[in-house]
Amino acid sequence: MKIAVYPGSFDPITCGHVDIIERAAQLYDQLVVTVFPNVSKNGRFSHEDRVEMIEESIKHLTNVSVERFDGLLVDFAKAKKAQVIVKGLRAVSDFDYEFKMALMNKKLAPGIETVFIMTSSRHLYLSSSLVKEVYGYGACIEGLVPPPVIKKWKTLEDCQK
Ligand code: PNS
């Protein structure tokens, strides 16, 4: 059985992430989407909310599960008996960071391969950070993030009023 993990901070999940998940789900028997805290980024959403938004957004995929993990990605992958780490790649600007992480993960766990899936061209410009920025200025984010994210965002804002 081929098992893959798809890690990220998913703060929040975007339509670009969903596209990578849908395509990876066709390549592997099981895909575990894993929410990690990213020490270098300030989070907008709690980890519980991130997991919930992903679960709601990928309900149609029967071989995909969602988990949260605080620790090394390779330790999580080993615990899941995953042979593959899936990462999405948008542009050359992603490459340096992703390449270093892939090599470090290979050093830590030689038996696990990192597989890159190129983003679809319609999502090339899309990132969680940019979505947060434009939404903060009142832009419409329909089509950029899945509907559960918009719903959660509105609920959180209503609670803060
Ligand atoms: O969506 P992001 O923020 O680019 O995801 C980065 C993430 C979570 C994949 C990366 O920070 C990670 O793998 N974190 C887990 C801790 C770890 O294993 N760090 C060493 C990576 S070489």
Side-chain angles (χ1 to χ4, degrees):
M1 173 166 316
K2 282 279 176 199
I3 303 171
V5 296
Y6 177 43
S9 40
F10 303 107
D11 184 45
I13 186 169
T14 67
C15 291
H17 293 128
V18 174
D19 176 52
I20 298 288
I21 293 168
E22 285 173 341
R23 289 159 61 201
Q26 291 183 19
L27 298 174
Y28 303 102
D29 299 305
Q30 274 181 24
L31 180 70
V32 188
V33 181
T34 318
V35 175
F36 284 90
N38 189 326
V39 281
S40 59
K41 291 182 189 170
N42 285 330
R44 167 65 184 86
F45 295 95
S46 70
H47 295 112
E48 291 73 24
D49 284 346
R50 295 182 208 185
V51 168
E52 191 186 312
M53 289 185 285
I54 301 169
E55 281 172 343
E56 292 285 312
S57 306
I58 53 105
K59 266 184 185 160
H60 56 295
L61 300 167
T62 51
N63 62 336
V64 181
S65 58
V66 188
E67 293 192 30
R68 170 203 168 164
F69 190 72
D70 292 332
L72 272 183
L73 168 57
V74 289
D75 288 341
F76 180 80
K78 282 181 198 164
K80 291 287 150 191
K81 302 199 182 330
Q83 303 92 341
V84 169
I85 295 167
V86 167
K87 299 302 280 297
L89 207 53
R90 283 167 304 196
V92 178
S93 51
D94 284 345
F95 185 77
D96 188 45
Y97 173 61
E98 292 295 347
F99 190 50
K100 281 184 208 156
M101 282 200 290
L103 290 179
M104 177 59 86
N105 286 329
K106 190 76 182 161
K107 170 78 184 153
L108 297 173
I112 300 175
E113 290 295 342
T114 299
V115 170
F116 291 101
I117 296 182
M118 294 303 301
T119 193
S120 300
S121 55
R122 64 185 187 282
H123 297 133
L124 255 183
Y125 63 94
L126 193 50
S127 69
S128 301
S129 316
L130 265 187
V131 168
K132 283 183 280 193
E133 183 173 337
V134 300
Y135 187 74
Y137 288 104
C140 171
I141 53 169
E142 264 173 48
L144 303 181
V145 293
V149 173
I150 299 179
K151 194 171 154 206
K152 171 65 75 183
W153 224 326
K154 294 214 158 101
T155 309
L156 291 175
E157 283 172 345
D158 288 346
C159 291
Q160 283 159 5
K161 279 179 192 163

